[in-house]
Structure formats: C-alpha cells, structure tokens
Amino acid sequence: DDDDECEGELVCFQRHGFTSVSGCAGLGKVQADYCYDTRNPELSPLKEIEDTFGQGTLQGSLGPCEGDCDTDSECTEGLACFQRDDKVSVPNCFGEGKAKWDYCHLPELSDIGLEPQEHPAKGLGRCQGDCDKDSECAQGLKCFQRDGNETVEGCYGKGVEKWDYCYKPTEEDKKRENKKQARH
C-alpha cells in the first residue's frame, strides 16, 4: 500500500484488480499492491507533455509513458492510452504522474475490476478488462469475449482466465462486422 513497506530502493506499484506490475511476471493476488524496481532499464518514467490535458488532438505524437492522452490515436503506433481516474500505476512505466492524466504504454492485458461501475468514466482502454459489452469500452474499441485464455488481438500477456478485454478492431474485423449486420 505504501513505499515504506518496500525494501531498499523498491517502490510500491499501486494497482486495481490484476493490473500488470511493471517489470514483474504473473498475476499476483487481486487488488494486492507489489514492490518493484524503478531502476529496471525496461521501464520509462511517466512524463507530462504540456498543453495536452484534455486536448484530444495529438494524433500519434505521444511516446511510451507520455501523457495526457484520451485515445489510442494520440499515441505512437503500437502503443495504447492507459485510462485511469486516479494515480493508478501505468504498466511498463514508473512514477505517479498527475491525477486523472492518462498515459501511452505498451498494451498489456490489464485488469482493473469486475464491476462496470468501477470502470473509468471514458470507458475501459485498449487491453483493459473485465468488460461484458462494447459499450463498456472507450470509443472505437470493442469487448473481446473469451472462453479461456485466448489471445486478445493487439495485446500482450494472458490476463485473467475467462475475463474479457477491450481491443482495437482491425479494418478486417470492421468489414466482417459490417457484412454480418447487412445480413440481418
């Protein structure tokens, strides 16, 4: 719960649900916070880019661990916007960042809770779960329904078995969905 509970130079990674802990493998216990090493060379510090909070017009200009983003399209190719309502830790990044700021990160399956009322106001971000329907995901994302540990397109990691995650549909997915709707 607190950096004081960690040994040496380790710091506490605050998380919701089963959010991936930066630099660690495995799911751990639900809602449990874990100590991690911010000196891990694979982690980048959270960085606030001035004049971006709530702007929504950046189109692919934010890099790893940079914010504020509102959608994946504001992050460079291959990154996702990690949506948060407080200062929950951002996977593959270190630091607290600013409250209510969202940051671009490598999209890893991240579990922020079971109940829809726990979801961020803007909807779950890419590779976040547990969702039950598309409307629980941020604009432009869909809920990928799983029966086990199926791979979620565009996301890294395994997540929680049978949990469903928001993902960014490809152009091929959109065409398939349009054809299916046209038949009905």
Side-chain angles (χ1 to χ4, degrees), residues 91-156:
N92 299 311
C93 303
F94 73 86
E96 231 179 39
K98 289 187 178 179
K100 299 189 185 263
W101 276 50
D102 306 318
Y103 295 86
C104 297
H105 75 111
L106 186 64
E108 193 169 355
L109 291 180
S110 178
D111 311 300
I112 66 171
L114 286 168
E115 300 301 324
Q117 65 266 24
E118 294 178 25
H119 297 172
K122 294 177 249 178
L124 291 168
R126 184 167 151 205
C127 304
Q128 289 183 334
D130 181 41
C131 59
D132 295 313
K133 53 191 173 195
D134 294 346
S135 63
E136 293 175 356
C137 300
Q139 185 176 1
L141 301 179
K142 292 194 169 282
C143 183
F144 187 91
Q145 303 290 321
R146 305 190 322 163
D147 295 320
N149 274 335
E150 296 95 322
T151 299
V152 178
E153 190 171 315
C155 302
Y156 298 92

Side-chain angles (χ1 to χ4, degrees), residues 3-177:
D3 290 345
D4 296 338
E5 297 176 42
C6 298
E7 291 185 18
E9 295 183 36
L10 299 178
V11 296
C12 186
F13 189 97
Q14 303 287 323
R15 64 191 206 145
H16 291 232
F18 288 101
T19 302
S20 300
V21 178
S22 298
C24 299
L27 291 174
K29 289 184 178 180
V30 68
Q31 301 292 38
D33 300 326
Y34 290 89
C35 299
Y36 76 110
D37 190 350
T38 61
R39 297 168 298 164
N40 182 333
E42 294 179 17
L43 303 179
S44 298
L46 290 176
K47 182 177 178 184
E48 291 80 29
I49 306 299
E50 293 304 314
D51 300 322
T52 59
F53 185 73
Q55 295 303 309
T57 58
L58 302 170
Q59 296 308 312
S61 62
L62 294 173
C65 306
E66 292 181 344
D68 177 55
C69 58
D70 294 310
T71 65
D72 292 350
S73 65
E74 295 173 270
C75 303
T76 54
E77 186 68 32
L79 299 179
C81 183
F82 186 81
Q83 303 287 326
R84 59 193 208 148
D85 286 331
D86 50 17
K87 289 186 175 182
V88 68
S89 299
V90 178
N92 299 311
C93 303
F94 73 86
E96 231 179 39
K98 289 187 178 179
K100 299 189 185 263
W101 276 50
D102 306 318
Y103 295 86
C104 297
H105 75 111
L106 186 64
E108 193 169 355
L109 291 180
S110 178
D111 311 300
I112 66 171
L114 286 168
E115 300 301 324
Q117 65 266 24
E118 294 178 25
H119 297 172
K122 294 177 249 178
L124 291 168
R126 184 167 151 205
C127 304
Q128 289 183 334
D130 181 41
C131 59
D132 295 313
K133 53 191 173 195
D134 294 346
S135 63
E136 293 175 356
C137 300
Q139 185 176 1
L141 301 179
K142 292 194 169 282
C143 183
F144 187 91
Q145 303 290 321
R146 305 190 322 163
D147 295 320
N149 274 335
E150 296 95 322
T151 299
V152 178
E153 190 171 315
C155 302
Y156 298 92
K158 288 187 176 190
V160 178
E161 188 172 354
K162 296 185 181 179
W163 277 33
D164 307 318
Y165 296 88
C166 297
Y167 75 105
K168 184 177 183 177
T170 63
E171 287 304 314
E172 190 173 306
D173 291 334
K174 291 176 188 175
K175 287 177 187 175
R176 245 191 328 269
E177 184 68 26

